[in-house]
Amino acid sequence: MDASSSAPVVALSALRRTDVTVAGGKAAALGELLAAGFPVPPGFVVLTSAYEEFVDGAGIAPQVARLVAARGPAASDDVRRLFTSAAVPPALAAAVVRAWRDLGAPPVAVRSSATSEDLAAASSAGQQDTFLDVRTEAALLDAVRACWASLWTARAIDYRARHGQDRGDGDALALAVVVQQMADADAAGVLFTADPTTGQRQRAVISAAWGLGEAVVSGAVTTDDVVVDTARGVVVSRTTADKQVRTRAGATADGGTREEPVPEHLRRRAVLTDAEALALADLGQRVQEHLGCPVDVEWARETTGALALLQARPITALPEPTGPVPTDWTVPLRGGTYWRASIVEQLPDPLTPLFADLAAVAVPRSLRALVARALGSAVDDDDIRFPTVNGYAYYFFSNGAFARMLAATPRATAWLVRERDRTGVRGWREHAHPEYAARVAVWPGRDERAMSHAELLGAAAELLEAGCTYYTAVQSVVPAAVLSEAAFRAAYDRLARRDGDPPSLDLLLGLDSAPIRAEQSLWDLAEWAHRHPATAVALRAGRVPDDPTWHQLLHDHLRRYGHALYTLDVAVSTPADHPEPLLATLRQYVEGHGDDPHERQQRAAERREAATATVLGRLDPVRRALLVRLLRAAQDAGAAREDALADIGLAWPTIRRFLRESGRRLAASGVVDDADDVFWLRRTELEVAGAGDRTPLADRVAQRREVWRGQRLASPPQLLPQPPALVRRSLVWAMPGGDEAQTGPVVRGVGASGGRVTAVARVLHGPEDSARLQPGDVLVARMTTPAWTSLFAMASAVVTDVGGPLSHSSIVAREYGIPAVLGTGVATQRLTDGTLVTVDGDAGTVTPLDSDGGDDGDDGEGGDDDERVAPGGARSQARWSRSRWVLVAGGAAALVVGVVVVRRWRRR
C-alpha cells in the first residue's frame, strides 16, 4: 500500500502482505492474492487507524486498559459494551459507506483482521468475529463496530496472554476490518495444502459442505473430506458424509444467514467431484507457492462453478512430514525366527539408517562369538543376523541354528560352569567392564579434525562393536539379578516372613547404584544453584546460567554420568553432548519440586536395615545363614545390574563426536544440510561421500526421516513370522514388549511396582520431550534407561511399552515408591497425551478415566485400536507349524532350566 496514504479505508487490491500493521493479517494476505490475480472477491479494508480513531474519539481506551489489566478475560463483556455503545465518528462512517457504494452496494461479508492474526507463529484463528450477508448501511456500520469489539472477546484476551502477544493493556493492538462482496456460494469449505495431521507436504486435505463456509469453519456441519496427492495429481481417499444441514444467506430482507435442512437428494451426494477436488488442490498449491509456505485456505464454489478464495493463512504448528504407518510385517529372510528381545529392548524406535548398517555387523558378530565360545563350534554368518523389518530391529536365528543351539544346551550349561569367573556379576566386574573401558579410553583424546572420513567411520564402527560386546556380557548379569532376587524372595516368604513383617522388597531397596548417584549429583547441582540466586533465576527462566563455577560443576557431572543412554541408536544424543533434558529437571528442582534423593535413599536404607535386623534376629542359625547369603547375593546382583546398564554408553559420546565430524564436513560441502543428517545416510553412502563424491543427499535424508516418522507410529510384533494367537499369548510373559495386539479401553501390562494413582498421562517419545513432564504427571514412554532416572523424581507413576519386573523402570520406580505398569506393548500409542488415567501397579493396568474401566469382553484378538495400527498385515499372517513352536517353547524351557541349574551349583 502507498505509504503516503492517510485514508482510513482502502481498496483490498491496494494491499500487500507487508501491510499487516495497517490492515491485519487476513486483509494483507487477501490483498496480496487479489493483486496477483487469484479469484478473491473484491472489497475494501477499514484500516487499523480507523480503529484507533474510534477508540480515541469515544475516549474508551483508558477504561479498556483498566478493565483488562484488572480482570483479564472476565472483563470481556464490559469492554465490548463500551464499543457497542459508542458512535462511529461521522467522517469515518461516511468513508465506510462510500467505499461500499463504490463496490456497488452488494451484500457483503464483514470480517475482522487483527494485527496478531494469520501469522506463521500463531494464527489467532477464530478469535474475532465475522458477519455475513450484510445488506444495509446501518447493518454495515454495526458489523464494523462489532468486529472492533471482538478484539476483546474472552478467548481473544486469553489467547494473546498465553502467546505473549500483548501486555493486557492493548497499546500494541489494533484491528482492521475486511469488507468483501459475498460469494454466491452453493458449497464451501477449507483446504489445507499440507496434511495438518501427518505433516505430509504432498497431501492436500479438503473439507466441503453445502452452503456457506462459515458453518464449516465453526464445526457446525458435518463435512465431506477429500485427500489429494498433489505430486501425482490424484484423489487418494474421500469420505462422503450425511450432510443434514447447511447455512444459507438471506435470513431476512436485511440480510443475515439461516440454517436449513439439506435437500434429500444432496445429503449423501459428494459436494466435490474428483475433478473439482483436483482443481481446488491445484489452486491451493499455487497460493502456497505465491505465499511461500503451506496454507490453510477458506474457499467457496459459486453457483456458476467458479472457485473463490475467502481467506488464506499459514498453517501453524504443522508437524514434520510423516510417512504411512506400516501394516505389512513380511520378513525379508525366510527359514528362521525374528525376536524383539535382549539388545532390542534398548532400541524401541525404528533404527536410523547408519546405525542399522553398523549394528547389522556389530551386534550379530558379538553374539556369534559368544555362541561359538559356549557351544565350542563356529556359527555361520547366515545363522544369526540383526535385520530390520519396517525399520525395527530384530534378532534373526535360522531354524538350523536354533535347533543346534537347543541340542547343545547341556554343553552351554557346562561352559557356564567352567567360565563362571568370566560371566555373571563377577565376570562383569573383573573382565567385561575393565576391558570395555580400556577399549574406549584409547579414543577420546584423538583430534577428530585430524582424522580422515575413513578413520572416523572405522573408529565409530570399532567402538560400537566394543559396546555390543560389552552389552552381550552384561546380559549375563541380568539373569543373575533375576534369579537371585527370585530365590531370596521365595526363601524369605517361605522360611522367615510372618504376619506383619515387611515385604521382601523392603530388604532390597535403598541400595547404591550409578543411576541413583547420577540423580544425587544433579540434585547437588540444583542445591548449589539455590545458594547462588543469579544461577537459580536463570534456570527458572529456562536459560543456561553464566556462572563459570556452575558450568564447571555441570561439566564434572557430565564427565561422570553424561554417557547414559536414552536408546542405543547413536543418532539420539546423550546428556554429554545435549544436556537440555537435565536442565529441564534442574529447573524443576530449583522451583522446589522433587524429593532430596540423598534423604530418600537414607530413609530406604534405614527401613532396609531395620527390617533385616528384625527378621534375621529371630531366625535359627541355619535359616539365618541361608537368608543372609541369598539377601547379599540379591542386593549385589541388583545394584550390579544397574551399574552395568548405566555404562553401556561409555563409547557413545565419542562415536557421536566422530560421526558428527563427518557430518559437519559433508554439510560444509553441500552433501547434506546439517551435521546430524549423517545418521540418516547408509554406510556405503557415507563411504562414497567421504571419498570425495559430492552428490547432494539432502532430499534422500528428508525422505528417510519422513518414512521413519511413519514407522515410529507402528507397533512392531514381538515375534515374526507372527505365530498363532494361542502361541503368541502363551509367550507374552517371556517377551519384553507385552502383547501388542491387545484391545479395549484398559491398557494391560506387568505390575512391577505397587500402588494406585490417578494423574495426567504425559507421553514422552524421547529426551527432547522431557521438559513437558510436569510434577505429578504419569511418565509414559516406550522404555526407560538409566538416563531417564532424573524424570522419576517428577513422576507419580511410570508406564512403558517395553520392560518387566526386573527392568530399570521397575527397580527405579520401586526405589521412588511410585506405581509402575511395564511391558504393555501399546501404552505410547493407546494413551493420549494430557488425558487423565488411573495407574494400578498391583493389577498391572492403566485405565483412561473417560472409559468405564471394565473389560470390554474382547479376548485380545482382532480389531484395530483407534490410535494404533494393529500389526500383522495379510501377508504377515503365515501360520507357523505346531512343530516349530514346540521347538521354540522347548528351547526356552531348556535355557531357563540350564540357568537355574548353574545358579544352584554356584550356591553350593
Side-chain angles (χ1 to χ4, degrees):
M1 190 178 71
D2 185 354
S4 64
S5 174
S6 60
V9 179
V10 299
L12 188 60
S13 59
L15 297 172
R16 298 296 181 269
R17 73 180 80 180
T18 54
D19 293 322
V20 171
T21 56
V22 297
K26 183 185 283 107
L30 288 174
E32 173 79 23
L33 294 175
L34 180 58
F38 286 91
V40 176
F44 60 90
V45 181
V46 184
L47 300 177
T48 56
S49 59
Y51 169 88
E52 294 164 350
E53 179 184 345
F54 170 78
V55 170
D56 292 341
I60 61 176
Q63 299 174 70
V64 171
R66 285 195 299 271
L67 286 168
V68 174
R71 297 166 53 198
S76 174
D77 289 343
D78 290 338
V79 171
R80 298 183 77 180
R81 274 193 289 271
L82 293 175
F83 278 80
T84 55
S85 62
V88 179
L92 178 56
V96 172
V97 171
R98 184 167 54 252
W100 176 58
R101 292 193 178 280
D102 290 344
L103 197 61
V108 291
V110 182
R111 293 186 172 93
S112 306
S113 181
T115 54
S116 61
E117 186 177 30
D118 292 355
L119 307 179
S123 73
S124 302
Q127 302 305 315
Q128 279 82 46
D129 290 342
T130 293
F131 301 91
L132 301 180
D133 197 33
V134 177
R135 300 189 181 192
T136 67
E137 293 180 10
L140 174 59
L141 294 175
D142 285 345
V144 170
R145 189 169 48 186
C147 282
W148 287 335
S150 71
L151 187 62
W152 302 100
T153 62
R155 62 184 176 180
I157 295 170
D158 180 64
Y159 185 92
R160 291 193 298 268
R162 286 188 289 109
H163 287 78
Q165 292 176 348
D166 77 305
R167 303 185 305 275
D169 56 12
D171 284 350
L173 291 174
L175 184 139
V177 178
V178 180
V179 181
Q180 278 181 289
Q181 181 175 313
M182 281 285 292
D184 184 17
D186 75 332
V190 177
L191 159 70
F192 292 90
T193 61
D195 191 321
T197 301
T198 66
Q200 289 177 286
R201 270 58 171 178
Q202 296 180 337
R203 292 289 176 98
V205 180
I206 304 169
S207 295
W210 300 114
L212 301 178
E214 201 63 25
V216 176
V217 175
S218 67
V221 298
T222 304
T223 62
D224 291 354
D225 297 314
V226 186
V227 178
V228 174
D229 185 323
T230 54
R232 295 185 294 141
V234 296
V235 172
V236 293
S237 69
R238 65 161 59 242
T239 301
T240 303
D242 181 1
K243 301 168 285 294
Q244 300 183 24
V245 297
R246 63 183 176 183
T247 303
R248 300 294 295 274
T252 69
D254 292 332
T257 61
R258 69 185 190 278
E259 281 192 0
E260 65 179 24
V262 173
E264 186 65 31
H265 72 283
L266 294 179
R267 281 181 51 175
R268 295 172 181 83
R269 175 178 157 186
V271 174
L272 297 173
T273 65
D274 280 4
E276 289 172 326
L278 292 173
L280 182 57
D282 179 68
L283 178 60
Q285 287 299 301
R286 289 189 282 120
V287 172
Q288 174 177 289
E289 291 171 7
H290 186 79
L291 296 181
C293 63
V295 289
D296 161 7
V297 173
E298 293 179 24
W299 60 270
R301 184 183 64 197
E302 302 197 62
T303 53
T304 61
L307 292 173
L309 298 180
L310 308 179
Q311 184 169 327
R313 57 174 169 251
I315 303 175
T316 57
L318 184 66
E320 294 179 287
T322 301
V325 181
T327 58
D328 179 3
W329 295 90
T330 302
V331 296
L333 300 171
R334 297 192 179 276
T337 311
Y338 291 72
W339 301 77
R340 276 188 60 77
S342 186
I343 199 171
V344 179
E345 294 180 45
Q346 308 294 317
L347 293 165
D349 290 324
L351 305 189
T352 50
L354 182 56
F355 180 77
D357 288 349
L358 295 175
V361 175
V363 173
R365 183 177 290 171
S366 64
L367 186 59
R368 285 195 294 264
L370 174 64
V371 172
R373 291 197 304 271
L375 303 186
S377 60
V379 181
D380 293 339
D381 289 352
D382 291 339
D383 284 336
I384 300 177
R385 299 189 184 187
F386 197 64
T388 62
V389 183
N390 290 324
Y392 287 92
Y394 283 85
Y395 269 122
F396 170 82
F397 294 92
S398 71
N399 292 335
F402 201 90
R404 292 196 300 275
M405 291 166 62
L406 177 62
T409 299
R411 184 185 303 169
T413 303
W415 174 79
L416 284 172
V417 172
R418 290 195 311 271
E419 298 290 326
R420 60 186 180 275
D421 290 343
R422 298 191 66 91
T423 60
V425 175
R426 183 176 175 181
W428 165 73
R429 284 202 179 105
E430 296 181 1
H431 298 283
H433 189 275
E435 290 168 4
Y436 179 40
R439 293 181 68 178
V440 172
V442 173
W443 294 103
R446 289 287 300 272
D447 182 359
E448 65 271 20
R449 294 168 298 180
M451 298 168 66
S452 68
H453 275 287
E455 289 173 329
L456 292 167
L457 181 57
E462 179 180 329
L463 285 166
L464 182 62
E465 185 166 336
C468 291
T469 300
Y470 173 76
Y471 188 93
T472 301
V474 167
Q475 291 306 289
S476 68
V477 180
V478 175
V482 172
L483 291 172
S484 60
E485 178 175 328
F488 166 71
R489 296 179 73 168
Y492 175 82
D493 289 339
R494 293 183 181 181
L495 302 178
R497 189 175 183 183
R498 298 177 181 174
D499 290 342
D501 280 351
S504 59
L505 182 61
D506 281 10
L507 280 69
L508 300 175
L509 297 181
L511 301 170
D512 188 38
S513 66
I516 299 301
R517 291 192 296 272
E519 184 206 359
Q520 291 171 342
S521 174
L522 199 63
W523 178 270
D524 292 342
L525 266 174
E527 289 296 288
W528 189 93
H530 272 301
R531 297 191 297 272
H532 297 79
T535 299
V537 168
L539 288 171
R540 290 192 191 100
R543 301 194 311 271
V544 177
D546 295 329
D547 191 298
T549 303
W550 188 87
H551 275 273
Q552 183 60 49
L553 292 172
L554 177 63
H555 172 78
D556 292 343
H557 172 88
L558 295 175
R559 180 174 48 81
R560 293 193 301 270
Y561 306 111
H563 58 268
L565 298 179
Y566 298 99
T567 169
L568 289 178
D569 196 322
V570 295
V572 179
S573 61
T574 65
D577 49 10
H578 283 287
E580 288 81 3
L582 298 186
L583 296 178
T585 301
L586 277 171
R587 177 181 179 181
Q588 298 282 10
Y589 284 161
V590 170
E591 290 177 346
H593 303 295
D595 295 328
D596 183 336
H598 299 283
E599 294 180 359
R600 188 189 66 247
Q601 285 298 100
Q602 183 177 348
R603 291 193 300 268
E606 290 171 352
R607 287 196 304 271
R608 182 190 72 234
E609 294 304 321
T612 301
T614 298
V615 173
L616 296 182
R618 64 167 182 258
L619 297 181
D620 60 78
V622 174
R623 286 189 298 167
R624 182 166 56 251
L626 175 61
L627 260 293
V628 167
R629 183 176 181 181
L630 292 176
L631 174 61
R632 299 304 177 227
Q635 292 174 340
D636 183 52
R641 178 192 180 283
E642 289 296 283
D643 287 347
L645 289 174
D647 274 354
I648 290 171
L650 279 175
W652 263 244
T654 305
I655 294 174
R656 283 180 49 80
R657 180 163 59 90
F658 287 168
L659 292 178
R660 293 188 81 251
E661 173 61 24
S662 282
R664 276 190 288 271
R665 297 178 192 178
L666 297 182
S669 61
V671 175
V672 295
D673 291 336
D674 183 81
D676 282 345
D677 288 349
V678 70
F679 300 112
W680 297 88
L681 301 180
R682 309 301 321 193
R683 180 172 184 165
T684 54
E685 292 170 339
L686 179 55
E687 290 171 339
V688 169
D693 189 326
R694 292 298 177 257
T695 302
L697 299 173
D699 289 345
R700 200 174 297 177
V701 167
Q703 182 182 22
R704 287 171 183 166
R705 288 180 184 269
E706 182 174 333
V707 170
W708 183 89
R709 283 188 284 268
Q711 292 173 333
R712 198 184 195 192
L713 298 177
S715 300
Q718 300 290 288
L719 298 165
L720 287 175
Q722 286 204 270
L726 180 62
V727 175
R728 187 184 73 239
R729 293 163 70 181
S730 68
L731 290 175
V732 162
W733 65 272
M735 303 304 295
D739 184 4
E740 71 280 350
Q742 64 171 293
T743 58
V746 178
V747 174
R748 305 181 187 280
V750 176
S753 180
R756 182 183 175 97
V757 69
T758 297
V760 170
R762 192 64 60 202
V763 182
L764 306 185
H765 296 290
E768 69 278 4
D769 293 338
S770 58
R772 296 196 298 108
L773 185 73
Q774 298 300 306
D777 286 349
V778 173
L779 169 59
V780 183
R782 285 214 169 186
M783 57 161 278
T784 69
T785 63
W788 292 76
T789 300
S790 62
L791 297 182
F792 281 64
M794 302 298 132
S796 60
V798 61
V799 179
T800 67
D801 292 347
V802 176
L806 265 295
S807 69
H808 169 80
S809 306
S810 171
I811 292 171
V812 178
R814 282 153 34 180
E815 289 282 358
Y816 278 80
I818 59 177
V821 177
L822 311 179
T824 65
V826 298
T828 57
Q829 301 294 337
R830 289 270 302 280
L831 299 178
T832 302
D833 185 75
T835 59
L836 216 57
V837 298
T838 295
V839 180
D840 190 330
D842 297 303
T845 60
V846 185
T847 306
L849 288 194
D850 58 359
S851 88
D852 59 14
D855 197 317
D856 61 355
D858 190 85
D859 63 359
E861 300 304 315
D864 290 345
D865 300 324
D866 291 340
E867 297 178 44
R868 186 187 245 329
V869 176
R875 287 186 292 162
S876 67
Q877 298 298 323
R879 308 294 282 183
W880 278 32
S881 67
R882 180 176 300 178
S883 61
R884 179 182 289 184
W885 279 109
V886 168
L887 184 67
V888 170
L895 290 174
V896 171
V897 169
V899 173
V900 172
V901 168
V902 171
R903 293 300 300 162
R904 288 181 175 175
W905 182 90
R906 291 179 67 182
R907 284 200 295 271
R908 289 201 298 268

